[in-house]
Amino acid sequence: MALRSGKPAPAPGGAMPLMDHLRELRNRLTIGVAAILLGTVVGWIIYPEAFDFIKQPYVDGIKPLLDRRGFNAELVLNGGVGSAFSFRLKLSLAIGLVISSPIWMWQIWAFILPALHRNEKRWALLLALTGAPLFIGGVVIGYLVLPKGIEVLISFAPDSVNVLLSLGDYLNFVIRTVLVFGVAAQIPLVVVMLNRLGLVSAKQLAGARPWTVIGIFVFAAIATPSTDPLTMLFLAVPMTVLYLISELIAKLTDRRRGKAAPTDLADDQASPVDGPAPIDD
């Protein structure tokens, strides 16, 4: 029998039929996409202010340096008659992704919640509420390191030449940088959730720590649009710190599980499972 809220009722064994899973996924996707579209509309409305915001790292941090080196650096819009519309639409969509992140991230976690035990749902809710601030924090860090990345890339240009930066290429660089930093900030949440589900232990995380740190630095080197080591460090160091924090949380979780296990076992042994004992005549 379905619940009044419209959410499918689980089967007696706790399992949910496949069609109910698909309906739940469809509903979650619909809400997430609607939130992104609504955020895109907001981004379209605040486009002038948003454009000044993303242009600020270039105007304040990069253009004066290039002018001192003799570069005539300008931002230009090319690509045809519709390029201005495409640029505004792309920037509005990027804004929509960021400002709607609390909603679509919660939809992702809410789809996972029914598969968890009751005592795990509290952790999933906590991770969902933490995910959006971490994502936005990663976006902010990516925005702050933009000037250094642009400076390094433009420094390869020969002296005394005009550097005409396409607004489309500049926006792609900005979006890729901030989204990489935002997504990278979610990795510790994934590690903590895998530990809560019992798929990985703190001991396994500690054993894999050297290779994980190497993998983080390799990922940072590949994912960052610029080639300078400073930008890579700005991504790799916070990721490493967050991973170590998630490893510590996993260690505390495993320790708590170890203390709770004997109590649960004693309760199981004390509870009658075969009915009442027979009465002697």
Side-chain angles (χ1 to χ4, degrees):
M1 180 178 178
L3 299 178
R4 291 184 179 180
S5 61
K7 189 174 181 179
M16 185 183 293
L18 176 60
M19 292 305 299
D20 289 340
H21 274 297
L22 295 178
R23 293 190 190 98
E24 181 76 7
L25 178 60
R26 180 195 62 191
N27 294 337
R28 298 297 178 186
L29 287 176
T30 301
I31 296 174
V33 171
I36 294 174
L37 291 178
L38 182 60
T40 302
V41 173
V42 175
W44 185 276
I45 296 174
I46 64 172
Y47 168 78
E49 294 79 7
F51 176 70
D52 291 338
F53 181 75
I54 68 163
K55 192 177 66 173
Q56 211 61 36
Y58 174 82
V59 173
D60 293 342
I62 301 304
K63 197 173 187 306
L65 297 176
L66 298 178
D67 289 340
R68 286 196 295 269
R69 292 186 53 187
F71 288 159
N72 181 17
E74 298 292 341
L75 286 172
V76 297
L77 186 63
N78 52 23
V81 177
S83 57
F85 174 80
S86 299
F87 178 82
R88 181 166 183 169
L89 182 61
K90 185 182 295 185
L91 179 57
S92 301
L93 180 59
I95 296 170
L97 281 171
V98 174
I99 65 177
S100 65
S101 58
I103 299 177
W104 57 260
M105 281 187 178
W106 166 245
Q107 296 308 312
I108 294 175
W109 288 109
F111 181 70
I112 301 175
L113 283 179
L116 302 178
H117 296 93
R118 182 176 300 176
N119 60 342
E120 303 290 346
K121 293 182 180 181
R122 180 183 60 184
W123 274 91
L125 178 61
L126 179 62
L127 293 177
L129 295 177
T130 308
L134 280 177
F135 178 80
I136 295 175
V139 168
V140 171
I141 295 177
Y143 177 81
L144 294 177
V145 302
L146 273 174
K148 183 61 180 177
I150 298 174
E151 178 187 355
V152 171
L153 292 177
I154 296 181
S155 65
F156 290 102
D159 294 336
S160 302
V161 298
N162 291 332
V163 180
L164 300 178
L165 296 179
S166 168
L167 272 176
D169 293 339
Y170 177 76
L171 179 62
N172 290 336
F173 181 85
V174 172
I175 292 176
R176 180 180 173 186
T177 300
V178 298
L179 288 185
V180 163
F181 276 78
V183 172
Q186 304 300 305
I187 293 179
L189 299 184
V190 177
V191 174
V192 172
M193 179 56 71
L194 291 176
N195 174 257
R196 294 297 305 179
L197 293 175
L199 299 178
V200 63
S201 65
K203 185 177 180 181
Q204 292 173 325
L205 293 175
R209 186 189 306 140
W211 296 106
T212 303
V213 173
I214 293 175
I216 288 174
F217 276 82
V218 172
F219 168 80
I222 296 174
T224 49
S226 61
T227 57
D228 64 298
L230 185 59
T231 304
M232 181 193 72
L233 290 176
F234 271 116
L235 177 60
V237 171
M239 283 182 64
T240 303
V241 173
L242 290 174
Y243 175 80
L244 295 177
I245 293 175
S246 64
E247 184 181 322
L248 178 61
I249 296 174
K251 185 176 180 180
L252 296 175
T253 301
D254 289 351
R255 184 178 301 174
R256 184 178 302 176
R257 278 192 190 135
K259 291 181 179 179
T263 304
D264 296 339
L265 182 60
D267 293 340
D268 293 340
Q269 292 176 348
S271 60
V273 293
D274 295 327
I279 302 175
D280 295 334
D281 293 335

